[in-house]
Amino acid sequence: VKICLILPVLLLSNIVFASEQISTQAIKKVIDLYYSGQSHVSLVDVKICGGIHKKGNKKNECTKELKSVKKDQVSYFWTMFFVPYNTKANVMVQFSHNGITRKIKNIQVAGSLRYRTHIPLKFKQAGNWNVKIMHDMGSDVKDIGSYKIVVQ
């Protein structure tokens, strides 16, 4: 009976994943970059969240992605980085409103295929905000991403 219940799940999962199959070359490239990528940090994903899961299989994931936020509303600037093995790096996140830097947050990231962070936010000014994400390499700073936030 247990095999009868498991078999359809396995067959269905093979059908779902078959359409999203990644080439072996792409997988090898990611593995090679992870184990020999020196200190190259990559921004994989970024979003504004209404909350963050605290436990379970969704721990550190968004509870709800937001398209905009209200002034004084608590939200979270969520990021996911690819950080090569045995790498520790500093990432700077700069929040600007009308061209004026209002906040800078430094994040220490370490070797991981999906290093996730979330910065709690409460915007005091309505309007368009620009977020710049940078890899601080000591003697140089490299832009690795940007994001726009609409505050109502």
Side-chain angles (χ1 to χ4, degrees), residues 112-123:
S112 177
L113 289 169
R114 60 177 198 150
Y115 194 99
R116 295 162 296 168
T117 67
H118 53 275
I119 301 169
L121 299 170
K122 193 184 260 191
F123 295 97

Side-chain angles (χ1 to χ4, degrees), residues 40-95:
H40 178 77
V41 175
S42 299
L43 179 66
V44 177
D45 196 7
V46 61
K47 51 187 134 182
I48 294 292
C49 303
I52 304 294
H53 288 282
K54 302 292 183 203
K55 57 186 174 181
N57 63 349
K58 290 187 175 186
K59 184 177 180 182
N60 296 321
E61 295 293 339
C62 278
T63 56
K64 181 180 179 184
E65 185 174 355
L66 305 174
K67 299 298 177 205
S68 65
V69 296
K70 293 183 180 3
K71 190 173 132 181
D72 293 322
Q73 173 187 0
V74 174
S75 59
Y76 298 86
F77 186 74
W78 182 92
T79 52
M80 179 171 52
F81 297 94
F82 173 90
V83 185
Y85 181 74
N86 275 343
T87 298
K88 290 184 180 168
N90 186 41
V91 173
M92 295 171 35
V93 183
Q94 177 186 36
F95 297 88

Side-chain angles (χ1 to χ4, degrees), residues 96-112:
S96 300
H97 180 255
N98 293 331
I100 299 169
T101 299
R102 300 290 181 170
K103 180 177 186 165
I104 294 178
K105 179 73 175 174
N106 289 307
I107 303 169
Q108 297 294 317
V109 296
S112 177

Side-chain angles (χ1 to χ4, degrees), residues 20-31:
E20 296 179 23
Q21 195 164 15
I22 299 171
S23 73
T24 55
Q25 292 86 3
I27 294 169
K28 183 180 181 327
K29 191 173 184 177
V30 169
I31 291 169

